[in-house]
Amino acid sequence: MSIETPAVKKSWLTPFNVVVGLIILIGAVITALRFTKGLGAVTNLSDNNPWGMWIAFDLMCGVALAAGGYTTSTAVYIFGLKRYHSAVRPAILTAFLGYSLVGFALLYDVGRPWRLPYPFFVQSGTTSVLFEVGLCVMLYLSVLFVEWMPAALERLGFSKIRNFVVKLILPLTILGVILSTMHQSSLGALYLIAPSKLHPLWYSGYLPVFFFVSSIAAGLSMVIFEGTLSHRYLHDKMDETYLREHDEVTLGFGKGAALVLAGYFLIKVVGITIDDNWHYLGTGYGTWFLVELLGFVALPCFLFALGVREKNLTLIRGAAVLTVLGIVLNRFNVTLVAFNWQLPAAERYFPSWMEIAISLYIVALGLTIFTFISKNMPIFYEHPNFKEHEPPDLHEHKLKRHPQTFGH
Amino acid sequence: MENNFYTLHDFLLYTKGAAYYLMGAMLLGIFGFWHFMTGRDEENDIK
């Protein structure tokens, strides 16, 4: 591993930097338009469709795809699967940035963004599911910030504070699982209030369960996907431990994702059965539902299982990409495609190019910050001064780890 | 196919009954799935 910066200076004008820079520039212009001219100037939102692209992609997909943080830290610190330890920091960083950008995106979407803290400090709507989502996301963002802090403190050399924060990791992981379980499911529960607006194939009393279970698959797949990209573009920032454990993480998380997707597929079928919605499968919406269920749930589930069986890491990585796309498709279907399905075509919502540009702008910001932090903090390598100071896990004192627990 | 349900009880009896059969099939399905996914591990362990 080479932590030191190479002596040869590389040009900043890489294709990645140019494209990302261009997106950020366009995003900055639209940001100015949004906050000077209002929502109407940049979005196609209406009274029929007050939640659009920014809720579907930035919030719903953002939260689901940031689930890698709680799934990985749970696997390592609560289930005691220490062989996946090197995946924790990248996953926590991805989750922390994901949730931060969810909050950032909300500033664009909420009509009066300066009132975003009102539900917590001024006027709490304690009977509202949205209040619970907001509270959980705010608390979990704080938890992720503390979980991410050791990397920054190690970089700054604040060893005493760092050692204190590391002691908090286990209770914070437990709190993080509770908060994630609550708000991942509550995002689905938001739609329980609109049975007449959401197509019956996507509407179900089990929506919270669907959202929660699919978020686990999304989290596991994102760790594999993000690990693959990092392995390719940030290889020089990885130490031997990370590189050695990388394949094992892919294989173990692939097995976990296969099982979770199998469970998700089955409960989706139970959802159709319980509501007796089989006859809708013959319609246009039914075909689209089957594309989502078979093409982006059943197929990656099978590919994950085949990849694990054959120890084929390429297949597992492909399945992870398909799963991530499937989760994005599902959240888009619930929030946009199958929502207001009975309205005439002229009143249906389609995002404006500026809404899409802002979503790309937020992704570009996330990528830039992730790359910056990964290059400047011990994310893919252990800081040489702190190698012996790992946080304790639940199994450390009471239970002896069993080699067959989860993974391979 | 058109289903005529006269009461909520009839509807739930029908759908929950179907779900129970389905869950039995799923139990077998998950067993087969696990066997498919980890079959090679067991073969390698025996060798």
Side-chain angles (χ1 to χ4, degrees):
Chain A
M1 184 204 70
S2 59
I3 302 169
E4 299 300 322
T5 315
V8 183
K9 278 196 173 181
K10 288 179 185 173
S11 168
W12 281 88
L13 282 174
T14 60
F16 173 81
N17 286 353
V18 171
V19 172
V20 167
L22 205 64
I23 292 172
I24 290 179
L25 198 70
I26 295 170
V29 174
I30 300 170
T31 300
L33 268 177
R34 153 69 185 92
F35 288 106
T36 51
K37 307 278 182 190
L39 281 168
V42 293
T43 70
N44 283 345
L45 297 174
S46 62
D47 285 344
N48 275 331
N49 302 287
W51 286 1
M53 171 87 181
W54 293 341
I55 293 296
F57 184 75
D58 304 355
L59 193 140
M60 291 290 179
C61 297
V63 168
L65 298 179
Y70 85 88
T71 46
T72 312
S73 53
T74 302
V76 173
Y77 297 132
I78 297 181
F79 295 160
L81 302 169
K82 288 285 180 142
R83 59 182 177 276
Y84 304 133
H85 186 262
S86 60
V88 172
R89 279 201 179 172
I92 291 291
L93 175 61
T94 311
F96 174 53
L97 290 179
Y99 276 88
S100 304
L101 293 171
V102 164
F104 181 67
L106 272 180
L107 297 175
Y108 285 76
D109 198 60
V110 175
R112 287 186 282 183
W114 56 91
R115 288 198 169 190
L116 213 53
Y118 268 43
F120 315 122
F121 303 112
V122 182
Q123 197 176 27
S124 304
T126 48
T127 53
S128 160
V129 180
L130 197 57
F131 170 74
E132 193 247 320
V133 170
L135 191 63
C136 278
V137 168
M138 186 189 73
L139 289 172
Y140 187 50
L141 180 58
S142 314
V143 165
L144 283 169
F145 174 69
V146 180
E147 285 186 318
W148 166 78
M149 268 175 71
L153 294 169
E154 284 173 16
R155 175 72 175 79
L156 296 168
F158 296 155
S159 57
K160 279 187 182 172
I161 312 173
R162 183 264 181 201
N163 291 341
F164 171 72
V165 172
V166 162
K167 285 177 188 157
L168 299 175
I169 298 283
L170 181 59
L172 284 178
T173 301
I174 296 168
L175 182 64
V177 176
I178 295 167
L179 291 171
S180 294
T181 308
M182 289 169 75
H183 74 261
Q184 292 282 3
S185 56
S186 298
L187 282 173
L190 284 174
Y191 288 86
L192 290 179
I193 203 170
S196 59
K197 290 189 176 183
L198 189 56
H199 190 280
L201 280 173
W202 281 273
Y203 183 88
S204 166
Y206 296 114
L207 258 178
V209 184
F210 295 162
F211 267 56
F212 174 62
V213 175
S214 61
S215 84
I216 301 173
L220 294 169
S221 302
M222 268 305 282
V223 171
I224 297 172
F225 177 59
E226 170 265 307
T228 307
L229 289 181
S230 305
H231 202 264
R232 188 164 178 178
Y233 297 107
L234 297 165
H235 194 271
D236 60 326
K237 296 290 167 193
M238 296 169 177
D239 66 2
E240 280 174 20
T241 313
Y242 185 91
L243 293 171
R244 194 176 58 245
E245 290 180 1
H246 179 69
D247 288 351
E248 201 174 356
V249 169
T250 307
L251 209 56
F253 277 42
K255 187 185 263 186
L259 276 175
V260 174
L261 278 177
Y264 179 55
F265 176 80
L266 296 178
I267 57 173
K268 287 284 275 189
V269 177
V270 168
I272 302 171
T273 310
I274 282 290
D275 292 334
D276 196 35
N277 283 331
W278 294 102
H279 56 288
Y280 285 110
L281 292 179
T283 64
Y285 274 101
T287 309
W288 187 236
F289 180 82
L290 287 174
V291 167
E292 182 196 316
L293 192 64
L294 298 179
F296 292 92
V297 180
L299 180 62
C301 173
F302 173 70
L303 293 179
F304 270 129
L306 194 62
V308 170
R309 179 184 164 88
E310 306 288 337
K311 306 272 185 286
N312 186 337
L313 299 177
T314 312
L315 204 56
I316 294 175
R317 287 174 190 135
V321 173
L322 210 54
T323 307
V324 168
L325 291 175
I327 298 301
V328 172
L329 181 66
N330 174 258
R331 300 308 193 253
F332 267 79
N333 281 341
V334 172
T335 52
L336 300 179
V337 180
F339 198 75
N340 277 335
W341 65 290
Q342 285 168 319
L343 285 183
E347 290 177 40
R348 295 299 304 275
Y349 165 84
F350 192 83
S352 72
W353 73 268
M354 286 187 277
E355 289 177 85
I356 298 169
I358 284 292
S359 290
L360 290 175
Y361 164 70
I362 288 169
V363 172
L365 275 182
L367 278 174
T368 310
I369 303 170
F370 182 88
T371 311
F372 176 79
I373 293 178
S374 299
K375 284 184 175 175
N376 290 285
M377 289 178 197
I379 301 298
F380 292 105
Y381 63 91
E382 285 179 287
H383 196 288
N385 298 342
F386 298 95
K387 280 194 173 179
E388 301 303 318
H389 298 91
E390 294 308 330
D393 70 278
L394 278 179
H395 298 240
E396 202 163 66
H397 306 295
K398 294 175 184 171
L399 298 171
K400 197 176 179 182
R401 270 187 288 138
H402 193 282
Q404 292 299 316
T405 330
F406 194 74
H408 74 288
Chain B
M1 186 188 80
E2 191 178 331
N3 295 316
N4 291 319
F5 297 106
Y6 299 103
T7 63
L8 180 64
H9 179 261
D10 287 340
F11 178 79
L12 292 176
L13 198 66
Y14 172 77
T15 59
K16 285 191 90 171
Y20 281 127
Y21 281 119
L22 193 66
M23 283 172 187
M26 283 175 183
L27 202 62
L28 295 174
I30 281 284
F31 177 77
F33 181 73
W34 178 258
H35 189 69
F36 168 75
M37 189 162 64
T38 60
R40 288 273 164 86
D41 295 347
E42 284 157 19
E43 282 171 21
N44 293 338
D45 287 347
I46 291 166
K47 282 174 189 172

